[in-house]
Amino acid sequence: MPRLAPYVALASRALEANLRRPGFPFKLTFCITYWCNYKCQTCNIWKMKPRDELTLEEIQEFFRKSNRFLWVDVTGGEVSLRKDFPDICEAITENCKNLLLLHYPTNGYLTDKIVDYTKEIARMRHEKLIITVSTDGDEAMNDEIRGIEGGWQRQIETFRRLREIANVDVVLGMTLSSANVDHFPQAFAAAKAKIPDLDYRDFHVNIVHESDHYFGNGPLGVRRGVTADDLASATEQYAKLRGFGWHPVNVLERAYLSKVRRYLETGKTPMRCHALKSSCFIDSWGHVYPCTIYDRKVGSLREVDFDLARLWNDPELIEVQKEIWDYNCPQCWTPCEAYQTIMGNFFRPDTKRDTTDVPDPVGA
């Protein structure tokens, strides 16, 4: 029997974000490690070989003091490379009492470890657990882009086994880039040949982005050689296949996909972004950024005794949020930021007017 409190809490906080800047973010994207065992062409995270990442004890302290999140995306790198990954998830679920959604992506290579960790995490107290298993196409395309032979077979097996775990939602995540922009039909057909009951809604499709502080893929030219129309048309074709549905996930997915073309053709976020209004990004050293794309550090957890509220209401951070609100940032339409932005623009779903006639978002 689902608890009503987390749903009511998210609805309340999202409504508040439509009217003013909340006193604490309801969504967190948290990178727990930059270690990765793949060698993807679209990402340089795997080259980092990081040191001095946040310890489990530091992460536990952070969530004890910063426990008002309702939606947490735990990401990497590859999350399963941290042996304490289930303990990190436990720190989130035990401290964030109204947590509605815990989500994490995986590259799917270490099947047994990922499945074992997920079984452990699934027994924890949360309402929704969603896992994204990455894929970049059919077997040949996927393994070429990801740089590991045999990877696709492991990813599909991981997806299949995760689906067998009770109370876990699993999707295949495909990021469209210059290498695979027209490849979704082949990717779906290949996966369906292995998993006959696969549905289009078992995929999540998005477009590639560049980020210096997160992906480190600026020099890779992941958009080079592909037009805005190519990427937009591919996402629109997928949206048609996915169809319409009233489930909240379907509504968010459809809203995201419907605005990809405007973003690509204008180079401008199609809605006023809610980075540092409803959400933020924290990397594996505890550095706080507006999001995964904007390379502008606004603070460090280690410098504020792991109390995010001390940073969140700092005047300098609020000034950065105002700049983002006025489109003075790199501009993106990545799902990590788009979903809460869609939720926070319920009263202005299509912001096309000039920025000068919009009220201050920080007002009471």
Side-chain angles (χ1 to χ4, degrees):
M1 185 73 178
R3 295 185 303 126
L4 290 179
Y7 295 89
V8 172
L10 182 59
S12 175
R13 297 275 290 280
L15 177 61
E16 180 186 12
N18 274 269
L19 303 174
R20 61 188 179 193
R21 183 176 186 269
F24 195 84
F26 65 77
K27 185 189 176 191
L28 170 67
T29 302
F30 183 28
C31 177
I32 61 172
T33 184
Y34 280 79
W35 284 99
C36 189
N37 51 340
Y38 265 60
K39 298 180 179 180
C40 298
Q41 295 177 5
T42 54
C43 174
N44 272 338
I45 285 178
W46 61 275
K47 293 183 178 180
M48 294 186 65
K49 307 294 188 292
R51 294 287 186 274
D52 192 33
E53 295 185 307
L54 293 173
T55 66
L56 174 61
E57 291 72 22
E58 288 178 312
I59 293 171
Q60 289 170 331
E61 183 176 2
F62 167 55
F63 283 107
R64 280 195 298 270
K65 294 179 177 179
S66 306
N67 53 19
R68 287 180 278 165
F69 298 111
L70 306 176
W71 178 349
V72 179
D73 281 354
V74 183
T75 188
E78 171 52 37
V79 293
S80 67
L81 292 181
R82 281 198 66 143
K83 296 179 180 179
D84 56 5
F85 176 49
D87 298 312
I88 292 171
C89 291
E90 184 175 30
I92 297 168
T93 57
E94 286 300 309
N95 289 288
C96 300
K97 300 302 183 183
N98 280 328
L99 183 72
L100 175 60
L101 173 59
L102 177 65
H103 166 262
Y104 55 87
T106 174
N107 61 34
Y109 191 77
L110 301 173
T111 301
D112 290 340
K113 179 181 284 190
I114 295 163
V115 170
D116 288 345
Y117 282 172
T118 299
K119 287 180 178 178
E120 187 175 347
I121 294 165
R123 291 191 289 267
M124 299 173 187
R125 188 186 68 85
H126 50 69
E127 292 304 312
K128 295 286 290 183
L129 175 61
I130 301 179
I131 304 166
T132 301
V133 181
S134 299
T135 183
D136 283 311
D138 61 14
E139 184 170 8
M141 176 66 76
N142 179 89
D143 291 0
E144 178 183 352
I145 291 176
R146 297 198 155 250
I148 299 290
E149 187 176 351
W152 184 84
Q153 292 286 350
R154 288 174 175 250
Q155 291 157 221
I156 295 299
E157 177 64 9
T158 298
F159 174 79
R160 185 190 66 78
R161 288 178 58 186
L162 287 175
R163 292 176 94 206
E164 297 173 352
I165 304 174
N167 302 316
V168 176
D169 294 327
V170 193
V171 296
L172 287 166
M174 184 171 179
T175 298
L176 302 179
S177 66
S178 56
N180 67 351
V181 63
D182 58 352
H183 202 74
F184 175 76
Q186 295 95 315
F188 180 80
K192 191 171 179 64
K194 292 283 187 179
I195 305 170
D197 65 339
L198 197 72
D199 185 85
Y200 290 116
R201 293 182 186 179
D202 291 321
F203 266 79
H204 162 72
V205 174
N206 61 80
I207 57 173
V208 72
H209 280 75
E210 296 179 354
S211 167
D212 290 331
H213 72 283
Y214 182 41
F215 301 120
N217 62 352
L220 297 180
V222 292
R223 291 271 186 89
R224 200 174 299 139
V226 62
T227 67
D229 185 63
D230 289 338
L231 283 170
S233 295
T235 56
E236 288 164 355
Q237 289 167 14
Y238 167 69
K240 290 179 181 178
L241 293 170
R242 184 181 178 89
F244 183 80
W246 286 108
H247 190 281
V249 172
N250 291 327
V251 172
L252 282 176
E253 286 285 291
R254 191 169 184 84
Y256 165 75
L257 293 167
S258 70
K259 292 171 173 54
V260 168
R261 179 174 291 276
R262 189 195 309 172
Y263 162 68
L264 290 169
E265 291 182 347
T266 65
K268 185 176 180 180
T269 302
M271 293 175 150
R272 294 189 178 276
C273 182
H274 273 241
L276 296 185
K277 191 170 191 278
S278 299
S279 59
C280 65
F281 169 69
I282 297 177
D283 72 12
S284 63
W285 296 278
H287 300 141
V288 182
Y289 293 86
C291 63
T292 59
I293 305 302
Y294 193 5
D295 187 10
R296 183 163 177 178
K297 188 172 75 170
V298 294
S300 168
L301 295 182
R302 284 171 168 163
E303 294 175 359
V304 293
D305 199 26
F306 300 95
D307 184 359
L308 181 62
R310 288 173 55 184
L311 284 174
W312 188 253
N313 296 303
D314 182 270
E316 292 186 12
L317 184 146
I318 291 175
E319 283 303 312
V320 176
Q321 189 269 319
K322 288 181 180 179
E323 293 172 13
I324 295 168
W325 189 257
D326 287 335
Y327 297 94
N328 294 319
C329 65
Q331 305 298 292
C332 72
W333 193 235
T334 172
C336 291
E337 315 310 322
Y339 294 153
Q340 62 269 28
T341 291
I342 292 165
M343 294 168 65
N345 281 282
F346 181 79
F347 299 122
R348 54 162 76 86
D350 290 295
T351 304
K352 299 178 182 178
R353 57 187 175 176
D354 188 90
T355 61
T356 57
D357 66 349
V358 179
D360 185 347
V362 185

